[in-house]
Amino acid sequence: MTGDEQTTDVEPALRSYGISVEEIDGGDPLELTYMTAFPGREVHHPEIGRALNALIDRAEADEWDPVRVEATVVRAPGDVLGTWRAEPEWFEALAAYEISETEFSTRVLETLSHADEAAAAGDEDPAAAEADDDDAARGDGDRADSGDRS
């Protein structure tokens, strides 16, 4: 089965596991964007599991050759909730019983990032740097204003 045929079959497999595929590019990496059924503040872990189970089942049936999976989870089109990824070696190690399902899940969850956290971290860093600059400027002025001219 060619890569294009595998990609064509991956989308219906994901949908059969309850994954609302918005966009899929089946190259290497497989780029998947799906709309979550749980649009809270964090990516729903069981939903990640369903997407991965669809891919694992296809790989075990020799209907998909594992490649890196880069997933983007959206609340609505253009409203990113988070991202996660899975490496082909992890799928292969799982199939060969070299790692457990728990280890596989742990590896994937370690890649999980939430858009709100990234945005908050991005907003805090410049503000913190600006505050440090302001403190340093005040500190220099405070010494001069203290009357200490040594």
Side-chain angles (χ1 to χ4, degrees):
M1 190 175 281
T2 68
D4 288 342
E5 290 170 335
Q6 287 185 356
T7 300
T8 302
D9 292 340
V10 167
E11 183 174 350
L14 288 163
R15 289 186 185 281
S16 75
Y17 278 75
I19 303 302
S20 179
V21 176
E22 291 292 303
E23 199 173 320
I24 190 166
D25 178 358
D28 187 359
L30 182 137
E31 296 175 359
L32 167 66
T33 300
Y34 66 91
M35 188 174 306
T36 184
F38 307 93
R41 293 185 48 87
E42 295 185 351
V43 175
H44 192 252
H45 294 185
E47 195 170 46
I48 295 172
R50 287 198 314 274
L52 290 168
N53 282 333
L55 297 172
I56 290 166
D57 288 351
R58 294 201 52 80
E60 288 176 349
D62 289 326
E63 295 172 346
W64 180 68
D65 295 324
V67 296
R68 180 183 175 123
V69 176
E70 295 179 355
T72 301
V73 185
V74 297
R75 292 181 190 100
D79 182 11
V80 175
L81 177 59
T83 61
W84 56 266
R85 68 178 167 75
E87 297 296 335
E89 299 83 25
W90 303 347
F91 289 101
E92 292 161 3
L94 180 64
Y97 301 101
E98 294 169 1
I99 63 172
S100 67
E101 291 176 1
T102 301
E103 175 64 21
F104 180 86
S105 297
T106 299
R107 290 179 183 190
V108 172
L109 291 176
E110 287 174 348
T111 72
L112 179 61
S113 67
H114 294 95
D116 291 344
E117 291 172 3
D123 291 344
E124 290 173 12
D125 291 344
E130 198 172 297
D132 289 344
D133 291 344
D134 291 345
D135 290 345
R138 274 195 303 274
D140 290 341
D142 291 342
R143 275 197 304 269
D145 291 342
S146 68
D148 181 10
R149 308 266 184 224
S150 41

